[in-house]
Amino acid sequence: AADGTYTNGIFGVLKAVASLVKRQQPDHVAFVFDKTRDTFRRELYPDYKGTRTSTPEPLKQQFVLLEQILADAGFKVLYSDRYEADEFRDQIPMVVMTKDHDYLQLVDDEHNVRAWMVQARQEKADELYEKYYAPYGLDKKSINLPEKTFEFTAEHVFAEEGVRPCQITDLKGIQGDSSDNIPGVKGVASAAPLLLNEYGTVEAVYAAVREAERDKKALKELQDFWKQNLGISRSPYKALTKTEEGEVCGEAAAMLSKQLATIKTDIQIGLSLDDFSVSYYDESKMREWCSRLDIKEESVFGK
């Protein structure tokens, strides 16, 4: 803007919001922001997201201003100092629009919860479309997704991740997540989906291991089963059961990592479904902000 205010991030979000309201026409919308990385997860594991650099100040300023613009335009904006960014899934179909793969755990066909995963490039979204929709003769325009976005149902989650949505936290429990500095169990990554398809959860994997550890024969039979029946070429037993003083590893790492990856869905927000109605959206307010920030209206809303 002319006064030096950074607006590149704000422009991108406002353009996406204007397009979403116009083209996808949702009945209800909520925006969720993280206020800090010092959430309850850092209380569990101080190194959570420890590999990330601090948010650049220009971007921080835009987050604050963006929250104000969206609220001023009539949207409900949610944020918390303790929790990171489902309460109404039993009342209406829901879509979670995000870049964060953690949110795939919320996908639930029974409750009609889908994830619109924003891809880094349109080409990646097109590639997923060609892979999953084109073979059924579905017209891309009829699917009506935002730009760079692919819709994940439970079927797509399993096809892409190798596990069901409810097992995403278990997958991260074993594999970890370098982007969030979630440790996982080192040396087991490729075996994780195979183990989870057989046992279901991290807890059940370890229950099977502990049961087999009662005698050498049972332990050998378990590892032979992993190799011959599950197709795990290299036994993950040592990595799964590793213990080392002063290091988070083995079972402790798996349980902690699963907890770190689990999104809380029981937070009481004290609002009704109607509070999120798009009927409260006031486009003129967003246009006023565009004018104030020297953002060309046609670049946000189209001609």
Side-chain angles (χ1 to χ4, degrees):
D3 63 0
T5 302
Y6 286 90
T7 60
N8 58 325
I10 291 172
F11 164 71
V13 174
L14 296 188
K15 182 178 180 181
V17 170
S19 176
L20 181 73
V21 172
K22 182 179 179 180
R23 296 184 180 182
Q24 281 71 47
Q25 299 182 351
D27 294 321
H28 304 83
V29 171
F31 292 90
V32 185
F33 289 88
D34 300 340
K35 285 186 71 178
T36 174
R37 292 177 188 166
D38 291 323
T39 64
F40 75 101
R41 290 183 173 84
R42 280 246 171 108
E43 294 170 19
L44 292 171
Y45 184 55
D47 289 335
Y48 178 69
K49 292 193 178 181
T51 53
R52 295 203 186 173
T53 57
S54 59
T55 305
E57 195 57 38
L59 192 54
K60 274 186 184 178
Q61 293 171 4
Q62 288 184 79
F63 281 143
V64 174
L65 186 53
L66 183 57
E67 290 164 13
Q68 184 181 346
I69 295 170
L70 291 171
D72 198 29
F75 294 111
K76 273 285 176 279
V77 180
L78 309 177
Y79 41 82
S80 169
D81 285 318
R82 183 168 167 78
Y83 300 106
E84 292 176 281
D86 202 70
E87 187 166 311
F88 304 107
R89 67 177 193 172
D90 291 326
Q91 299 178 44
I92 55 170
M94 295 190 66
V95 173
V96 180
M97 187 172 175
T98 179
K99 292 181 179 179
D100 192 339
H101 275 60
D102 284 352
Y103 286 83
L104 292 177
Q105 67 189 264
L106 300 180
V107 173
D108 186 336
D109 288 355
E110 182 182 347
H111 291 92
N112 207 357
V113 180
R114 295 156 289 158
W116 283 356
M117 299 301 300
V118 181
Q119 309 299 311
R121 299 171 294 106
Q122 182 62 48
E123 289 79 7
K124 178 59 179 177
D126 291 342
E127 180 185 311
L128 289 167
Y129 163 79
E130 291 295 332
K131 186 176 181 180
Y132 293 112
Y133 288 123
Y136 295 100
L138 291 172
D139 178 68
K140 190 174 181 181
K141 291 182 180 178
S142 69
I143 299 172
N144 193 23
L145 295 175
E147 291 181 1
K148 300 183 184 178
T149 301
F150 181 77
E151 179 178 284
F152 276 77
T153 63
E155 176 188 352
H156 300 133
V157 173
F158 186 83
E160 288 295 304
E161 304 294 330
V163 296
R164 302 190 307 277
C166 63
Q167 295 175 302
I168 289 291
T169 55
D170 295 279
L171 186 66
K172 287 180 179 282
I174 298 175
Q175 289 186 340
D177 186 339
S178 58
S179 67
D180 287 337
N181 205 33
I182 295 176
V185 183
K186 291 178 175 59
V188 192
S190 61
L194 301 173
L195 289 169
L196 292 172
N197 283 329
E198 176 64 25
Y199 299 104
T201 65
V202 167
E203 289 84 353
V205 169
Y206 277 99
V209 169
R210 298 308 177 206
E211 179 68 25
E213 282 180 328
R214 294 183 178 185
D215 65 77
K216 290 184 179 179
K217 183 181 177 183
L219 189 55
K220 184 181 185 306
E221 287 176 350
L222 178 66
Q223 293 181 82
D224 286 345
F225 173 76
W226 287 349
K227 184 175 183 178
Q228 295 164 14
N229 293 64
L230 304 188
I232 300 173
S233 56
R234 183 180 177 184
S235 174
Y237 172 71
K238 286 187 178 179
L240 284 169
T241 57
K242 181 181 178 182
T243 58
E244 192 167 320
E245 193 172 341
E247 183 182 344
V248 180
C249 55
E251 186 172 4
M255 297 306 179
L256 172 64
S257 298
K258 179 175 178 176
Q259 193 174 4
L260 291 171
T262 300
I263 294 171
K264 290 186 69 67
T265 58
D266 58 353
I267 303 167
Q268 297 300 311
I269 59 174
L271 295 168
S272 70
L273 180 59
D274 181 64
D275 290 322
F276 298 93
S277 174
V278 174
S279 64
Y280 299 119
Y281 169 54
D282 186 347
E283 184 181 299
S284 66
K285 292 288 186 182
M286 271 188 24
R287 288 182 179 274
E288 286 175 18
W289 275 102
C290 286
S291 177
R292 197 181 309 179
L293 295 171
D294 300 317
I295 297 172
K296 293 180 179 178
E297 288 184 37
E298 60 268 26
S299 64
V300 172
F301 298 96
K303 295 181 179 178

